[in-house]
Each structure stands twice: as C-alpha cells, then as structure tokens.
C-alpha cells in the first residue's frame, strides 16, 4: 500500500497548497454567475444557498478524512488540510450570508429564526465554533498558542462537522437519506480516529 | 399547445401568473424524488393512459371512473390561483379544472359523510421516489366535506390551458388554494367519503409540523420556519419577500368555514 502511494505522494509534494484558494473560489464565482444568468432554475436563491452549504460540508468532511487516509492508506494530504478547512469555512460563511441577505431578508426575523428554530440554532452554533478555528488557521497563531493548545482547540472540528450534518438532517422535510449518508460518513471518520489502546494508555498515564 | 379552451372564472386572481417553466420544473412530488427538479426529470415514467379513479365510501353511486367519465358533462374553467407552499415559497398558477362539488354531487354524497379522503397512485415501477420511505406511501390527503364543497376547491386537469404535465399531478389533482400546497394532492386514484377525519400523509409523518387543516396562516409558524412571509418563485436572485396573507388571500370565500375555531390549535 505504501509503495503504491509513493509516486502519488511525491507528485503531491510539488503542488503548492495556496493553489487551492483560487481553485476553491471558482465554483462560488460560477454559482453566482449561473444564478444571475438564470441557469440555476427558477429559485436561484435556494439553489445557491443549498450548494454552498453542501460544498462547505463536503470540504469539512474532507478535512476529517485526511488523517485516516494517511494512517490507513498512506496518502499524505496534511499539507492541504489548512486550505481545505479554511475553504470549508468560507463556503459556510457564504451559505450563511446568502441565507441572511437573499433568503430571509428581514433582520427582525433572522434573530427570531436563530433562537426559535433548532436547525438554525445548531447551524449557527457550528458556524460560531468555526470562527476561532478559522482565525487560528495560520502559522503565527500556531506559534502563539503552541502546538498542544492549538491541537486541543482544533479538536472542535470533531463537534462542528457532525453539527453541520445534523443541521442538514433537520432542514429537509421528512426522512430523506442523503443527509444521513453524510452524518454516517462523519461518524465513521471520527470512529477511525478512536484508538482504544492509546486512549487507555494516555488515561492511565494521566492518572499516575 | 393543445388548448383546452377553458372558460375564464370570477375566482381567478388578476395577478401575473408565474412562468410556465417555473410551474412545470419547480415541483414537490416526492414519488418522483425529493429534489425540486426531480419530478420534471422523472415523471415521464408515469403512464396516465387508461387512468381510473375509484370513488367509494359514503356515496350513492360508488364505482370506478375513467377520465372520460369524470370529464363528461363538466365545463373546464381556468382558475388562476395563488399557490403557497408550506416551505414559504409561492407561485401564481393558471389551473384548468372543475369544481370538486360538481363531481361529488354527481356521485351523491350521503348525509352521514363528513370528510373526503384522497389517495395518489402508488406505482413503484414508475415512481423512483417511493423506493425510499420519505413518507408512508401511498400519499393520502383529506378535506372536511364543507371545504371540499367550497367553489374554490377544484379538480385540476391542466395548467396554462394545456393538459396537466405529469410532474404537476397528471391526469387529475386537487387544488385547494387557501391551504398549503401539500394538501393539493396529485395524480388521484381514489376518492372516499368518510364519517371520520381521514389520515393525511404529512400529518402522519410529523403531526407537530403539519396539521389536518394546514390553512395558510401567517400567524402560525411552522416549527422550523416562520410563515409570515413568502418568496415568489421565478423572481430571480434579488426577489423581495412579500407578506403572506391569511387563507392565502381567500378569506372572503373561506373564513366562515372556520368560524369559532381556534386556528392556532387546528392548524
């Protein structure tokens, strides 16, 4: 397995991580352009809102997949994780902005919706929890916090991403399968991180 | 277009109808998928030739009706109605149809009947959406008899003066313009007059969110979103929300049906 990944990994080493930012901006630009042109069907606001939310969720799920892919398949993508995570944050921020500005439109109703509607409350909580992660996704913050504190903070991802999927499960009408696939994938990716042996060892180490 | 030569009606709104494209490509018809564009993509699989509607229960002349039987002797009218979805979007749709009361009078409603139950076709081989249990199939709906007999309540067999596209509920569907869209059940195969309130699909799926009445009411929120305003489909990227009207603006015709009822309780 490792031998198989070697050429891929060495090719990936030559790809600069910053390239992901302009690449990640392209779908968003295309989405708004298509909406203006009328290519997104008769309700472009909902379409843009939905695609931004869905692509944001995909990117966040991708960040969770990077460690298991390295550990179990030998694929080294850690260099790209920051860019993928930040892009996920930007997509979700854009999703939220479209909801506020183009969909709900009425400021008084927005606040009421955030407080009263559990799926919006959960979505907002997940977004707010992402803000410190986005703000500390740079080398300066990493140095200031120190590796251990930075890692502990960024474990919030394990909460944020499932909350995003729960938000999706709750927003659809009836029991639709698609959001459950994402929730299951996320829980699977989180389960791959659990290493019972190591957890027991670190717990007994903490006790001594 | 075919041209059903439907007669204009005093019940039509003067508002500008939503585009034909929007009316026929933006649909909720979960039997063909939960995406708004799924019905337009998948509903061609539905065969409407030889369609039959069973009418039974507390009626004088129960039986199975072909579409020719159903349409014999009726005068098709164009009814341009506001259409308000429970998801807080709206359209203006030029339906073609006839009053449900006309059909019910032909079959003879017995005095003990108090409700009308409706059922949509369930054909797994033609309806890819029913493979997943988003809802408890077949889709069922119901009205109180006085609601069903109201002149605004129609059986629609067309839109835009042409036969009903499959994705809009061909060949025959209900349209109840003062209620949320899901009450206007599509592709009907059975109508049953009953004494007791019949079960309805969305109420069975989530009774807290979808009541039996489901009258358009800006003051009663859906638990997950406000019903105070709506976005008119087809208005483009910058369409402004507009206030939702009580009974979708049909209060003059239907408010008296609910005299003395607490509409926050009977939502």
């Amino acid at each position: 397995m490792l031998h198989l990944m070697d050429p891929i990994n060495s090719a990936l080493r030559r790809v600069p991580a910053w390239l992901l930012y302009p690449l990640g901006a392209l779908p968003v630009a295309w989405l708004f352009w298509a909406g203006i042109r009328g290519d997104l069907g008769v309700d472009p606001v909902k379409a843009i809102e939905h695609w931004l939310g869905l692509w944001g969720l995909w990117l966040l799920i991708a960040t969770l997949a990077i460690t298991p892919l390295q550990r179990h398949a030998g694929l080294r993508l850690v260099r790209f994780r920051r860019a993928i995570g930040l892009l996920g944050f930007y997509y979700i921020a854009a999703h939220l902005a479209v909801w506020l500005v183009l969909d709900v439109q009425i400021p008084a109703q927005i606040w009421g919706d955030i407080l009263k509607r559990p799926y919006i409350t959960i979505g907002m909580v997940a977004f707010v929890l992402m803000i410190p992660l986005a703000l500390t996704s740079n080398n300066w913050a990493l140095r200031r916090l120190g590796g251990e504190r930075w890692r502990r903070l960024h474990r919030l991802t394990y909460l944020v991403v499932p909350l995003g999927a729960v938000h999706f499960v709750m927003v659809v009408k009836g029991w639709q399968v698609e959001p459950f696939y994402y929730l299951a994938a996320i829980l699977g990716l989180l389960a791959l991180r659990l290493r019972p042996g190591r957890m027991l060892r670190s717990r007994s180490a903490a006790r001594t | 277009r075919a041209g059903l030569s439907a007669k204009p009606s005093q019940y039509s709104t003067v508002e500008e109808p939503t585009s034909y494209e929007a009316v026929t490509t933006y649909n909720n018809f979960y039997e063909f998928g939960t995406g708004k564009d799924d019905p337009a993509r998948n509903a061609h699989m539905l065969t409407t030739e030889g369609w039959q509607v069973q009418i039974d229960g507390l009626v004088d002349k129960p039986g199975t009706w072909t579409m020719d039987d159903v349409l014999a002797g009726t005068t098709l009218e164009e009814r341009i109605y506001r259409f308000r979805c429970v998801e807080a979007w709206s359209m203006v749709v030029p339906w073609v149809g006839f009053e449900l009361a006309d059909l019910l009078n032909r079959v003879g409603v017995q005095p003990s009947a108090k409700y009308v139950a409706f059922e949509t076709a369930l054909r797994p081989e033609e309806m890819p959406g029913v493979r997943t249990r988003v809802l408890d199939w077949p889709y069922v709906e119901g009205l109180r008899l006085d609601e069903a007999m109201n002149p605004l309540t129609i059986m629609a067999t067309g839109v835009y003066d042409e036969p009903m596209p499959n994705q809009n509920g061909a060949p025959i569907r209900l349209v109840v313009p003062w209620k949320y869209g899901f009450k206007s059940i599509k592709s009907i195969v059975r109508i049953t007059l009953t004494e007791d309130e019949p079960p309805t699909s969305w109420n069975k799926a989530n009774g807290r969110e979808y009541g039996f009445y489901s009258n358009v009411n800006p003051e009663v929120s859906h638990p997950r979103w406000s019903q105070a305003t709506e976005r008119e489909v087809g208005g483009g990227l910058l369409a402004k929300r507009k206030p939702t009207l009580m009974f979708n603006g049909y209060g003059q015709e239907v408010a008296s049906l609910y005299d003395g009822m607490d509409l926050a309780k009977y939502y």
Side-chain angles (χ1 to χ4, degrees), chain A residues 61-105:
Chain A
I61 292 174
T63 65
L64 288 181
I66 285 171
T67 295
L69 276 175
Q70 177 158 338
R71 198 176 285 159
H72 300 283
L75 184 63
R76 301 185 63 87
L77 294 167
V78 178
R79 285 179 54 236
F80 303 106
R81 184 160 62 188
R82 176 185 288 172
I84 296 170
L86 276 172
L87 281 171
F89 173 77
Y90 297 146
Y91 273 72
I92 298 301
H95 165 73
L96 177 60
V98 167
W99 177 70
L100 292 174
V101 177
L102 297 179
D103 186 349
V104 182
Q105 298 173 6

Side-chain angles (χ1 to χ4, degrees), chain A:
Chain A
M1 190 69 103
L2 281 173
H3 297 300
L4 193 82
M5 287 299 170
D6 282 345
I8 299 173
N9 285 333
S10 59
L12 282 172
R13 261 197 297 277
R14 281 192 290 274
V15 179
W18 60 260
L19 204 59
L20 291 185
Y21 296 103
L23 282 179
L26 286 178
V28 181
W30 174 83
L31 198 57
F32 279 94
W33 177 240
I36 291 163
R37 282 176 41 103
D39 292 342
L40 292 178
V42 293
D43 193 3
V45 174
K46 277 286 169 208
I48 293 174
E49 190 177 294
H50 173 79
W51 286 115
L52 287 172
L54 189 63
W55 292 343
L57 185 63
W58 288 353
L59 288 163
L60 295 176
I61 292 174
T63 65
L64 288 181
I66 285 171
T67 295
L69 276 175
Q70 177 158 338
R71 198 176 285 159
H72 300 283
L75 184 63
R76 301 185 63 87
L77 294 167
V78 178
R79 285 179 54 236
F80 303 106
R81 184 160 62 188
R82 176 185 288 172
I84 296 170
L86 276 172
L87 281 171
F89 173 77
Y90 297 146
Y91 273 72
I92 298 301
H95 165 73
L96 177 60
V98 167
W99 177 70
L100 292 174
V101 177
L102 297 179
D103 186 349
V104 182
Q105 298 173 6
I106 302 154
Q109 197 185 314
I110 290 166
W111 191 234
D113 276 351
I114 292 171
L115 295 180
K116 272 195 302 197
R117 325 270 174 216
Y119 85 91
I120 297 175
T121 315
I122 287 176
M124 276 309 290
V125 166
F127 177 74
V128 169
L129 291 178
M130 270 198 290
I131 294 172
L133 305 187
L135 290 177
T136 56
S137 285
N138 53 71
N139 294 338
W140 181 79
L142 177 60
R143 274 195 304 274
R144 281 296 297 262
L145 284 168
E148 184 49 37
R149 276 207 298 170
W150 187 92
R151 261 191 297 280
R152 225 182 299 151
L153 175 65
H154 280 250
R155 278 189 206 130
L156 271 178
T157 313
Y158 305 156
L159 184 61
V160 165
V161 189
L163 282 180
V166 169
H167 166 78
F168 190 16
V169 167
M170 291 173 76
V171 70
V172 298
K173 268 167 62 199
W175 295 109
Q176 299 187 24
V177 289
E178 188 193 356
F180 279 105
Y181 288 147
Y182 296 120
L183 188 58
I186 291 162
L187 296 178
L189 287 170
L190 292 179
L192 283 174
R193 280 155 203 274
L194 296 174
R195 287 192 289 185
R198 198 174 117 181
M199 275 171 55
L200 282 175
R201 268 199 306 283
S202 64
R203 207 165 285 166
S204 55
R207 238 181 259 127
T208 53

Side-chain angles (χ1 to χ4, degrees), chain B residues 221-234:
Chain B
S221 276
H222 182 281
R224 285 183 284 155
W225 51 81
S226 164
Q227 296 290 23
T229 60
E230 62 202 44
R231 276 180 330 108
E232 202 170 328
V233 167

